[in-house]
Amino acid sequence: MSREFRRAMPLLPISMVMQLTELTARQIRYYEEHKLIQPARSEGNRRMFSLDDVDALLEIRELLDQGINMAGIKKVFDMRQVNDVRIYDKTIISDAELRIILREEMLQAQRLQKPSLRQGGLSRFIQIKSK
Amino acid sequence: MSREFRRAMPLLPISMVMQLTELTARQIRYYEEHKLIQPARSEGNRRMFSLDDVDALLEIRELLDQGINMAGIKKVFDMRQVNDVRIYDKTIISDAELRIILREEMLQAQRLQKPSLRQGGLSRFIQIKSK
DNA sequence: AATATTATGTTAGAAAATATAACATATCAC
DNA sequence: GTGATATGTTATATTTTCTAACATAATATT
């Protein structure tokens, strides 16, 4: 679980993601525009990417290479989401239990930092502030 | 091995490190000035920190809390570094190679499912305890 | 073939983040 | 009380990132 949390943590600026994926900023933003990724934002509106985002971008690149377009990639991703949920259902921790854990963690984090992210997913629980 | 690469990979901007460590930019730069950390630099001279850097900073904080000064902390770090082989230090590797390594590591990590960050390190902020 | 769509490049201007450097200061050790 | 240490604060320059608009080659559609 901690691993997944870490991987969902928005840490990287777009410049790093560009280097890791060899994609241009234009491409990355375009894929976001098409909902293939949803990077978090800092208070100053900078995109902050997680390792999951990087992973997704690398896969987008592969799929594009295979001639698949935005819609197709979206479909592939959506299908995977379904699979993830299925797999997740089989884990020991219940959804409710998970929520409690996440809430606890979030509250603890807020004791240390000011809240700031406005977006869904796990990254909701990770704080990014700018000033 | 790849995991160490990843932890030594300079990815994070100072703003992220500030949040992860609860240190001010001033403090972080001061510690660098005193050679306690040596973050990489971007083309445009921005500091880029690795997870190892974050861990080091968290430890600096602890040691300062214990009343140890810069010189003392430096000594502690130097003593440890004797056996500590830093793969990334002087190795010249391309972005592509780094990316491939990162990718490999991520994929493998998903299979091995191994908790790893040591206590008192980064895990304090991103790990949630199951059960 | 002509036209439209898609994925990406390029450019411009604004805003945010970071850099260095200088000066300020509270806390200790002496 | 003096001086060193660790950190705060401020100023200014540079870099990074943002959005938005317009351009275009490659595909798809008609």
Side-chain angles (χ1 to χ4, degrees), chain A residues 1-7 9-13 15-16 19-22 48 51-52 54-55 58-59 61-62 92-93 97-98 101-102 105 108 111-113 126-130, chain B residues 3 6 9-13 15-16 19-20 22 42 48 51 95-96 98-100 102-103 105-107 109-110 112-117 122-131:
Chain A
M1 189 60 223
S2 66
R3 172 173 303 285
E4 288 156 30
F5 205 75
R6 239 179 291 139
R7 292 175 50 79
M9 193 171 182
L11 295 172
L12 322 188
S15 55
M16 276 305 126
Q19 289 181 50
L20 291 172
T21 62
E22 294 189 311
M48 299 306 309
L51 291 178
D52 278 339
V54 173
D55 211 18
L58 288 169
E59 186 154 19
R61 230 183 44 159
E62 277 178 22
I92 314 147
I93 301 177
E97 203 173 342
L98 174 64
I101 291 168
L102 289 178
E105 188 66 19
Q108 182 157 25
R111 250 173 261 136
L112 304 174
Q113 309 172 20
I126 311 281
Q127 314 304 322
I128 298 180
K129 67 182 175 187
S130 63
Chain B
R3 147 161 244 97
R6 196 185 52 189
M9 201 164 28
L11 293 172
L12 321 189
S15 55
M16 273 308 125
Q19 290 178 61
L20 292 171
E22 290 192 298
S42 75
M48 300 305 308
L51 292 178
D95 287 340
L98 273 179
R99 176 176 46 70
I100 288 166
L102 173 67
R103 170 87 170 153
E105 178 60 26
M106 287 195 292
L107 291 175
Q110 282 181 330
L112 296 184
Q113 187 80 12
K114 173 180 155 237
S116 63
L117 292 183
L122 234 198
S123 57
R124 190 149 68 88
F125 297 95
I126 57 185
Q127 187 167 22
I128 66 180
K129 324 95 199 166
S130 31
K131 301 183 182 225

Side-chain angles (χ1 to χ4, degrees), chain B residues 9-54:
Chain B
M9 201 164 28
L11 293 172
L12 321 189
I14 198 169
S15 55
M16 273 308 125
V17 177
M18 288 169 67
Q19 290 178 61
L20 292 171
T21 62
E22 290 192 298
L23 293 169
T24 65
R26 181 67 164 95
Q27 288 174 299
I28 295 169
R29 296 190 191 112
Y30 185 72
Y31 304 151
E32 180 193 25
E33 196 180 332
H34 285 262
K35 309 286 172 59
L36 297 182
I37 53 172
Q38 294 118 46
R41 296 290 182 127
S42 75
E43 273 285 311
N45 200 37
R46 266 79 232 270
R47 289 174 182 82
M48 300 305 308
F49 299 79
S50 66
L51 292 178
D52 279 338
D53 288 327
V54 173

